[in-house]
Amino acid sequence: MSAQTGKTNAVEEIKRVSRGLRGSLLASLADPVTGALREDDQTLIKYHGSYQQDDRDIREERRLAKLEPAYSFMIRTRTPGGVITPAQWLKLDAIATTYAERGLRITTRQAFQFHGVIKTELKSTMQAINAALIDTLAACGDVNRNVAVAANPLLSRAHATVYAQAAALSEHLLPSTRAYYEIWLDEKQVAGSPQFDEPIYGATYLPRKFKIGFAIPPYNDVDVFAQDLGFIAVIVNGALAGYNVSIGGGMGASHGDPETYPRLGDVIGFVSPAQVTAVAEAVVTAQRDHGNRNVRKRARLKYTIDDHGLDAFTIEIERRAGFRLAPARAFEFHHNGDRFGWVEGDDGRSHLTLRIPAGRIVDTAQAEGPGVRHLSGLREIARVLHEHDEGAEFRMTPNQNLVIAGVPAARRDVVDALVALYGLDGYRSASPLRRNALACVALPTCGLAMAEAERYLPELLGKLETLLQKHGLQDAPINLRVSGCPNGCSRPYLGEIALVGKAPGRYNLMLGADHRGQRLNTLYRENIAEPEILAALAPLLARYAAERQADEGFGDFLLRAALLAQAPAVPEVSA
């Protein structure tokens, strides 16, 4: 394999001269004239876990009034596996109510996002997050992002082992620069030139973002084949034997650009738990050295693999790791959703999965009916669990829901009572479609959004539920995902039904993924509005109701019945 050569893009130059991600961030933060950062610093702050945004709902109004956009910042936590303690929950809740807008939000990578933090309070918010023993370093940017981990497996002890390994890997792959600690936590810089030696990332970090996920079959809640690097746990007699390794997944694409596309990861072999760090570092450094630094749209690992060949890239991984991968072992996924309600662990404790619509934890009556107070209710549950301090924890799921995990038998009744009191038991009455739906933030804050997603989801769900009920499909567990743009934060290309935004009120309708996260969907109708979306789905759902086989998913039916002729089917992943 040969490294990329030629002219690099502008972001590469910003990283190169940033002095270890420092740039002029301190000066930008201190500038009282504007609520924004300097242009280059808007790139660098991503590596610190934040994005500069503005309220697009009022952008034109402010322009006409000759005011700058209503700038604010999104902050994202680094929480491997989405696991925090009740004490940390209470601190993050206080941060959200003090500094942010619209409560807490769970991402599809098991992190929290705070929205609407203004520049003058950005440092205070960062310090408060760190005071909760959580950081935001490398939550964004061209580095390894938050490591995702199966949230609610059947085997509690195996989960603990896998989670510990994932958390250790997250620490190992952190940038070495001290810029984060100097800028946000007032660490004193060592005398002389700033130190920014990066043994894993190098002076210009990775060509593009990098994502890792740990799955524990039979559940694929992390959508492991959507990750740049996936570890699929192999459990033998209740104990972790090792992992099958997959590489090259990624959801991002650009409309109208055939050079960009979603891709599923390929399983390339098996490793022992002791080999995980070496393999991960080998994949990361191979991508560092061979990824495309000329064209950012072609910079993800999936393109590096397709450009150089899977076999050649696997050989490079083995060379860097210093050992050959063993043959992949058999595995089977049942589905990629969450299991709601109480589940008994094998350690005598219970886990309660609650539905959080689009991951937004806020007190509101909108869409969910009166009396639903997610923020207040979870605050009270956290207080109870923190007061008794018996090892319970909160786990964010990759499907934007929340697991109250490790609840001892003595606390189950009080948790149940609080869930009922605050209306958090909506998962009981919600349709399978509603329980499984995902949506990205999109408008008004995401600068990439072309159409609504999170705000549109409740309305869309109501209309689709009416359509399903008409055909007697109200109990069909169809996987719906909505994205405001083609970048794929809600993993739309793995939805049995998915909408990918193209313009305000207009979407590409994607159909035909499976419910296991092992097959991509395909484009069915392009650039259509809601009436056309519903009209396109109606005859397909009618045929599904009439012709489906026992336990056959909607996506599987569409493929079997050859109803997706508009685009070629994508082969399923296998070991």
Side-chain angles (χ1 to χ4, degrees):
M1 292 177 62
S2 59
Q4 288 281 334
T5 59
K7 184 178 180 181
T8 58
N9 60 63
V11 173
E12 292 297 307
E13 181 63 14
I14 291 171
K15 291 184 288 184
R16 188 185 68 80
V17 301
S18 71
R19 299 177 303 118
L21 305 178
R22 292 172 175 85
S24 56
L25 270 168
L26 285 173
S28 279
L29 291 167
D31 184 355
V33 175
T34 175
L37 301 177
R38 298 174 183 176
E39 187 173 353
D40 286 3
D41 294 329
Q42 293 173 33
T43 293
L44 295 178
I45 199 171
K46 296 175 184 179
Y47 298 79
H48 300 251
S50 181
Y51 277 77
Q52 179 178 299
Q53 301 178 329
D54 75 281
D55 188 337
R56 293 173 61 181
D57 284 347
I58 60 173
R59 184 184 286 176
E60 180 63 11
E61 172 188 331
R62 291 182 66 85
R63 186 189 69 81
L64 292 173
K66 300 189 183 329
L67 298 172
E68 74 173 8
Y71 291 118
S72 65
F73 293 82
M74 179 273 284
I75 302 174
R76 183 182 297 154
T77 62
R78 184 182 66 90
T79 43
V83 177
I84 64 170
T85 67
Q88 289 173 318
W89 183 281
L90 292 172
K91 291 178 180 178
L92 294 177
D93 173 286
I95 293 167
T97 54
T98 302
Y99 298 110
E101 297 176 349
R102 295 189 294 157
L104 294 164
R105 191 178 193 278
I106 297 173
T107 77
T108 53
R109 293 208 65 75
Q110 299 172 288
F112 278 122
Q113 285 186 175
F114 301 91
H115 292 101
V117 179
I118 60 175
K119 189 174 80 170
T120 55
E121 294 183 340
L122 190 54
K123 185 170 182 176
S124 297
T125 309
M126 290 285 208
Q127 291 181 336
I129 292 170
N130 278 266
L133 302 182
I134 295 171
D135 64 56
T136 67
L137 176 60
C140 319
D142 297 344
V143 287
N144 175 58
R145 304 281 187 92
N146 198 50
V147 177
V149 185
N152 197 353
L154 293 171
L155 303 172
S156 299
R157 293 184 179 89
H159 176 274
T161 302
V162 173
Y163 166 72
Q165 182 137 48
L169 182 59
S170 176
E171 293 294 322
H172 182 76
L173 294 177
L174 281 177
S176 296
T177 177
R178 301 305 298 177
Y180 179 87
Y181 306 95
E182 295 166 10
I183 292 169
W184 307 111
L185 306 180
D186 296 325
E187 179 181 280
K188 298 299 183 183
Q189 192 177 111
V190 177
S193 300
Q195 299 299 306
F196 49 89
D197 179 54
E198 294 284 4
I200 294 177
Y201 291 115
T204 51
Y205 299 86
L206 297 181
R208 202 69 171 83
K209 60 188 174 183
F210 193 92
K211 298 179 178 180
I212 297 175
F214 284 73
I216 305 179
Y219 299 101
N220 187 21
D221 53 350
V222 302
D223 275 330
V224 70
F225 299 114
Q227 315 290 332
D228 293 271
L229 173 60
F231 292 99
I232 304 166
V234 176
I235 309 295
V236 178
N237 296 324
L240 176 67
Y243 303 90
N244 287 325
V245 179
S246 66
I247 59 172
M251 292 287 98
S254 298
H255 287 312
D257 184 356
E259 291 294 306
T260 67
Y261 43 81
R263 185 187 190 279
L264 294 181
D266 294 288
V267 176
I268 59 171
F270 174 87
V271 296
S272 70
Q275 294 173 320
V276 164
T277 300
V279 165
E281 187 170 325
V283 175
V284 168
T285 58
Q287 166 65 354
R288 177 197 68 196
D289 295 341
H290 298 287
N292 191 330
R293 293 186 182 268
N294 305 331
V295 182
R296 280 186 68 79
K297 288 183 178 182
R298 290 278 303 179
R300 289 289 297 273
L301 175 63
K302 59 184 177 180
Y303 303 119
T304 307
I305 290 171
D306 285 349
D307 289 344
H308 292 278
L310 179 64
D311 290 344
F313 197 84
T314 301
I315 291 170
E316 180 71 4
I317 293 169
E318 293 175 329
R319 183 186 71 79
R320 290 171 183 247
F323 55 82
R324 296 285 301 273
L325 303 178
R329 301 194 184 184
F331 65 94
E332 183 180 12
F333 287 126
H334 292 171
H335 67 78
N336 58 353
D338 291 332
R339 292 172 294 136
F340 293 91
W342 287 100
V343 174
E344 304 299 324
D346 63 347
D347 58 356
R349 291 171 173 260
S350 301
H351 313 303
L352 173 62
T353 304
L354 300 175
R355 174 180 170 262
I356 309 295
R360 183 69 64 182
I361 301 172
V362 65
D363 290 349
T364 178
Q366 294 179 2
E368 297 299 306
V372 178
R373 293 176 287 164
H374 285 104
L375 194 64
S376 297
L378 291 169
R379 182 186 304 140
E380 292 307 311
I381 291 172
R383 283 174 177 166
V384 168
L385 297 176
H386 174 53
E387 177 184 349
H388 294 280
D389 193 18
E390 296 166 313
E393 60 192 19
F394 290 83
R395 296 180 193 161
M396 295 168 275
T397 85
N399 292 307
Q400 300 178 302
N401 297 307
L402 182 70
V403 182
I404 303 174
V407 178
R411 305 292 159 237
R412 181 162 169 169
D413 285 347
V414 69
V415 170
D416 259 339
L418 290 169
V419 166
L421 177 64
Y422 287 91
L424 307 183
D425 53 358
Y427 66 89
R428 299 181 189 274
S429 57
S431 68
L433 180 79
R434 192 172 288 263
R435 286 201 300 266
N436 293 327
L438 297 183
C440 67
V441 173
L443 297 169
T445 52
C446 178
L448 300 176
M450 301 174 179
E452 295 280 2
E454 179 186 323
R455 296 194 298 191
Y456 176 46
L457 183 64
E459 178 184 348
L460 175 66
L461 282 169
K463 294 180 179 180
L464 288 177
E465 285 172 333
T466 298
L467 187 58
L468 290 172
Q469 189 168 12
K470 176 182 177 181
H471 297 289
L473 295 170
Q474 57 270 25
D475 294 326
I478 295 174
N479 185 325
L480 169 70
R481 299 183 177 183
V482 183
S483 178
C485 79
N487 288 283
C489 292
S490 58
R491 304 192 297 274
Y493 307 108
L494 288 170
E496 291 179 285
I497 300 174
L499 302 185
V500 178
K502 285 212 73 174
R506 305 191 70 86
Y507 301 84
N508 283 353
L509 174 61
M510 315 289 294
L511 299 176
D514 65 7
H515 57 278
R516 300 177 297 276
Q518 293 182 250
R519 185 177 65 238
L520 293 173
N521 55 25
T522 58
L523 177 63
Y524 188 74
R525 293 285 188 272
E526 187 173 6
N527 194 24
I528 58 176
E530 182 184 275
E532 299 162 286
I533 293 168
L534 298 176
L537 289 173
L540 301 177
L541 292 169
R543 287 196 58 178
Y544 177 52
E547 302 172 26
R548 60 179 168 160
Q549 298 175 351
D551 299 322
E552 185 175 30
F554 182 55
D556 292 340
F557 167 76
L558 294 175
L559 192 66
R560 179 178 65 82
L563 297 176
L564 300 174
Q566 284 77 1
V570 176
E572 291 197 10
V573 173
S574 66

